């Protein structure tokens, strides 16, 4: 089975502290495995290092030490091996508006990665764009292909960002708080889309979030980070129902009361049942 694994990842940043320069260890020692067809949630308070882990996995930051392995092979730092890795591991950011160019159409946004990564060319590009739009439920595809970012809702824009991540043939998506900037009413729709892709297309999803309720519902496993370390990890229900680490208990105590979790889970279930 296809896997994306991080082993003992460490990231240090040089920071200026008044006149002195010092080192900030944003990620201390992080290890976990994400398999195809699974969702792993990373939760933790602000500043715990979640995005830094995501950015290292997406190759936007170089780890200070540690390894990232795709299908058991350490990833190459350049050339073809790195290009292959980038096809397969793609990132979805928190703010879809910031990652889309207001002057370009949806077609442009999706055609570009298809051509750049050699997935489609010539007369095959437009049907491939339509195919991507259908995979993220933006239909009729020809109508959405002509829109520009400001002509769509936040949820639709995030679907475009997901389609763009899928374009190179991604097998793993690293989604860093993909719904936290969206209106509450459309969050579930986007999370359900990720869940469907994970289920039907065997995608591996790393879901970074502050929201324990959706982490529990949408992920098979939860990794809890605290000040750069993984303090607890395990099957989602176990971590939520029987937390072992004091920090996880604090995090749960700070989350909305359990009845709200129950209600959200019912809502999610109803939506999933509705397809
Ligand atoms: N490029 C950088 N240079 C210096 N420090 C950084 C850099 N990127 C992140 N940090 C620091 O590393 C720590 C972890 O940041 P990170 O963004 O990974 O946290 P996070 O868990 O994603 O937080 P949030 O939930 O607020 O998004 C923070 O103290 C942050 O200030
Ligand atoms: Mg972050």
């Amino acid at each position: 089975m296809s896997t994306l694994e991080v082993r003992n990842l460490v990231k240090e940043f040089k920071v200026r502290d008044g006149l002195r320069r010092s080192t900030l260890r944003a990620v201390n020692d992080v290890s976990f495995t994400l398999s195809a067809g699974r969702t792993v949630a990373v939760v933790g308070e602000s500043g715990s290092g979640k995005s830094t882990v995501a950015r290292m996995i997406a190759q936007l930051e170089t780890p200070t030490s540690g390894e990232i392995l795709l299908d058991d092979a350490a990833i190459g730092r350049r050339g073809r091996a790195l290009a292959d890795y980038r096809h397969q591991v793609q990132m979805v950011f928190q703010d879809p508006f910031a990652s889309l160019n207001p002057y370009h159409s949806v077609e442009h946004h999706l055609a570009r990665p298809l051509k750049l990564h050699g997935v489609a060319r010539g007369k095959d590009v437009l049907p491939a764009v339509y195919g991507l739009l259908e995979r993220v439920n933006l239909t009729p595809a020809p109508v959405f292909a002509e829109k520009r970012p400001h002509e769509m809702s936040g949820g639709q824009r995030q679907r475009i960002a997901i389609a763009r991540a899928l374009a190179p043939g991604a097998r793993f998506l690293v989604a860093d708080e993909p719904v936290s900037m969206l209106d509450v009413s459309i969050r579930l729709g986007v999370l359900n889309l990720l869940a469907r892709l994970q289920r039907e297309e065997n995608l591996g999803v790393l879901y970074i979030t502050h929201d324990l309720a959706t982490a529990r519902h949408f992920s098979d496993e939860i990794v809890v980070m605290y000040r750069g370390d993984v303090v607890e990890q395990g099957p989602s229900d176990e971590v939520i129902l029987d937390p072992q680490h004091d920090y996880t208990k604090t995090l749960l105590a700070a989350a909305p009361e359990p009845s709200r979790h129950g209600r959200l889970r019912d809502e999610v279930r109803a939506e999933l049942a509705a397809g």
Side-chain angles (χ1 to χ4, degrees), residues 13-15 24 26 44-53 61 177 210:
F13 292 110
K14 298 262 176 283
V15 289
L24 172 87
E45 68 189 358
S46 187
S48 56
K50 304 180 299 295
S51 292
T52 305
V53 168
E61 300 275 10
E177 305 200 40
H210 282 103

Side-chain angles (χ1 to χ4, degrees), residues 34-50:
L34 172 63
S35 301
R38 309 265 294 173
T39 297
V40 172
V42 179
V43 303
E45 68 189 358
S46 187
S48 56
K50 304 180 299 295

Side-chain angles (χ1 to χ4, degrees), residues 64-268:
T64 303
S65 62
E67 276 187 310
I68 301 171
L69 300 100
L70 184 60
D71 298 336
D72 300 319
I75 60 172
R77 294 254 180 264
R78 57 180 101 99
R80 218 193 139 72
L82 181 58
D84 275 352
Y85 180 84
R86 288 204 163 127
H87 287 195
Q88 300 188 43
V89 181
Q90 287 278 316
M91 189 142 172
V92 175
F93 296 93
Q94 185 174 21
D95 181 359
F97 211 46
S99 65
L100 301 174
N101 184 330
Y103 298 107
H104 289 307
S105 67
V106 166
E107 180 186 335
H108 177 96
H109 279 97
L110 299 181
R112 212 177 123 77
L114 287 169
K115 290 190 266 192
L116 209 65
H117 293 272
V119 178
R121 59 180 132 125
K123 62 174 174 33
D124 296 332
V125 173
L126 194 57
V129 166
Y130 292 167
L132 284 169
L133 287 169
E134 278 155 15
R135 280 164 73 193
V136 298
N137 299 343
L138 289 178
T139 52
V143 172
F144 279 95
E146 296 205 345
K147 286 185 190 283
R148 286 193 292 155
H150 69 270
E151 297 172 311
M152 293 181 295
S153 70
Q156 290 169 340
R157 281 196 289 266
Q158 194 59 302
R159 286 166 194 268
I160 298 296
I162 292 169
R164 191 174 52 175
L166 294 173
R171 293 190 294 134
F172 293 95
L173 287 190
V174 178
D176 190 356
E177 305 200 40
V179 297
S180 61
M181 288 187 68
L182 303 180
D183 190 84
V184 175
S185 63
I186 52 177
R187 288 183 183 174
L188 283 183
V190 173
L191 290 174
N192 279 331
L193 167 64
L194 288 172
R196 181 171 62 71
L197 291 167
Q198 173 243 311
R199 218 174 36 243
E200 293 177 3
E201 303 192 15
N202 209 29
L203 206 69
V205 179
L206 190 69
Y207 172 46
I208 295 173
T209 183
H210 282 103
D211 179 17
L212 289 163
T214 56
R216 178 180 176 191
H217 187 83
F218 285 98
S219 57
D220 302 291
E221 209 178 296
I222 293 182
V223 172
V224 183
M225 283 188 71
Y226 178 63
R227 296 192 177 173
D229 278 307
V230 171
V231 293
E232 182 158 359
Q233 64 190 111
S236 300
D237 277 347
E238 276 177 32
V239 170
I240 300 286
L241 297 176
D242 187 22
Q244 298 299 308
H245 196 278
D246 281 346
Y247 175 67
T248 315
K249 292 177 192 166
T250 312
L251 209 63
L252 281 164
E257 80 273 30
S259 62
R260 292 226 352 234
H261 289 197
R263 202 153 61 228
L264 174 63
R265 284 162 59 77
D266 289 345
E267 258 175 54
V268 172

